[in-house]
Amino acid sequence: MQLEELIAKVSRLPEVRQQEVMDFVTFLEQRYGQTDPGEAEQLDWSEQQFHAMSIDQAMRDTEAEPDLYSEDDLKERWQ
């Protein structure tokens, strides 16, 4: 993929998604450092690293979401 094409695609994303791309690029940079591009493709994420990254992405910005339900909405309580 050409760098110009990547920049164009990222620039069309909302600012929040651009930040996600930046975070992911930072993660890749930390993970692979200054390795040769061919060498980076051969490296594999460990199961633990992948789970940590996927959980971080799934939970991103959830603190800002409004609570949709309260305890008053419960029909049954677990004891």
Side-chain angles (χ1 to χ4, degrees):
M1 180 180 291
Q2 297 294 328
L3 182 58
E4 295 83 21
E5 182 182 356
L6 177 62
I7 292 170
K9 286 183 177 189
V10 171
S11 66
R12 290 190 298 261
L13 293 172
E15 188 173 324
V16 172
R17 301 298 171 231
Q18 289 179 9
Q19 184 59 49
E20 284 185 44
V21 172
M22 182 58 120
D23 292 344
F24 184 66
V25 169
T26 301
F27 168 78
L28 290 175
E29 187 176 50
Q30 290 171 354
R31 169 90 167 114
Y32 299 113
Q34 297 294 327
T35 59
D36 178 43
E39 180 183 333
E41 291 175 10
Q42 294 174 357
L43 298 176
D44 220 359
W45 290 11
S46 72
E47 191 82 13
Q48 183 179 7
Q49 289 170 320
F50 179 78
H51 285 290
M53 187 277 300
S54 63
I55 289 171
D56 287 345
Q57 291 300 313
M59 298 304 291
R60 173 184 214 98
D61 297 327
T62 57
E63 303 86 26
E65 292 181 6
D67 292 331
L68 299 178
Y69 302 102
S70 70
E71 287 189 28
D72 297 333
D73 296 313
L74 294 175
K75 294 182 179 179
E76 199 173 307
R77 294 185 189 273
W78 183 79
Q79 297 182 13

